[in-house]
Amino acid sequence: QLQLQESGPGLVKPSETLSLTCTVSGGSISSSPYYWGWIRQPPGKGLEWIGSIYDSGSTQYNPSLKSRVTISIDTSKNQFSLKLNSVTAADTAVYYCAKYYDSVKSGFDYWGQGTLVTVSS
Amino acid sequence: QSVLTQPPSVSGAPGQRVTISCTGSRSNIGADYGLQWYQHLPGTAPKLLIYGDKYRPSGVPERFSGSKSGTSASLAITGLQAEDEADYYCQSYDNSLVGSVFGGGTKLTVL
């Protein structure tokens, strides 16, 4: 059974960089083809897609976050990561990593439990 | 504002049938990408309920069904149970934004 687990600091200062890692167990992250994504949920709000990484490291990002987001993959550690720079209080959210069931044009069949990241000084 | 539009809330009594709508446009639902529905309970990971417009993953009860027509989709829940009380989200791909999009979510209350 595939499992995903987010990890990283729960508190980030404004203007700094939020860094999270998703560790995949129960399967190889690089089983071709692969499609992985990050989604977040601010307090009291809905789900927001952040971005995806697929095939040989290709990426797609939410246009509203594109200038601040980087998603990368480390196949040797079976992990993929999210970096969001210049954070503000508006970036406070529960962050989820997830796997697409087919291509990046499909949906997410496996999710991590989520990790709360608070942006505050 | 979310790209996909859902009603903020719906409610129904146990045993009843409820539907949740999801309205999009020609660049997402109308572009014939698969439409997904997720059930989300507070403090847990979202759960895939419906994929590819109408298919249920293994383990999802037949009480949940999905349909799509044009630029809109619906999730129907029959035989409503107390455990169905949760937030429900629709999700698709948008070829104009070039990425995944979610609805704003619908809170289902079982009366």
Side-chain angles (χ1 to χ4, degrees), chain B residues 10-20 39 49-50 56 60-67 74-85 88 108 110:
Chain B
V10 297
S11 62
Q16 285 189 333
R17 177 181 186 270
V18 296
T19 62
I20 299 173
Q39 180 188 60
L49 272 184
I50 298 289
R56 285 186 307 276
V60 173
E62 292 182 5
R63 303 187 296 106
F64 295 90
S65 63
S67 63
S74 290
L75 172 71
I77 310 172
T78 58
L80 206 56
Q81 300 179 3
E83 66 201 50
D84 298 332
E85 190 162 286
Y88 292 83
L108 169 62
V110 181

Side-chain angles (χ1 to χ4, degrees), chain A residues 41 96 100-101 106 108 112, chain B residues 36 38 40 45 89 91 93 100:
Chain A
Q41 183 179 33
Y96 298 96
Y100 287 91
Y101 68 82
S106 68
F108 305 95
Chain B
Q36 282 65 237
Y38 302 88
H40 192 199
Y89 293 88
Q91 175 260 322
Y93 182 84
S100 300

Side-chain angles (χ1 to χ4, degrees), chain B:
Chain B
Q1 295 286 19
S2 301
V3 173
L4 304 180
T5 301
Q6 299 179 233
S9 63
V10 297
S11 62
Q16 285 189 333
R17 177 181 186 270
V18 296
T19 62
I20 299 173
S21 62
C22 175
T23 302
S25 67
R26 286 183 294 179
S27 63
N28 41 68
I29 298 177
D32 209 27
Y33 299 113
L35 191 286
Q36 282 65 237
W37 290 95
Y38 302 88
Q39 180 188 60
H40 192 199
L41 295 164
T44 69
K47 174 186 176 182
L48 181 63
L49 272 184
I50 298 289
Y51 69 96
D53 303 340
K54 60 183 181 180
Y55 301 100
R56 285 186 307 276
S58 174
V60 173
E62 292 182 5
R63 303 187 296 106
F64 295 90
S65 63
S67 63
K68 190 176 85 172
S69 178
T71 58
S72 296
S74 290
L75 172 71
I77 310 172
T78 58
L80 206 56
Q81 300 179 3
E83 66 201 50
D84 298 332
E85 190 162 286
D87 295 323
Y88 292 83
Y89 293 88
C90 59
Q91 175 260 322
S92 181
Y93 182 84
D94 190 293
N95 60 26
S96 177
L97 297 175
V98 189
S100 300
V101 289
F102 284 92
T106 298
K107 182 174 181 58
L108 169 62
T109 300
V110 181
L111 302 171

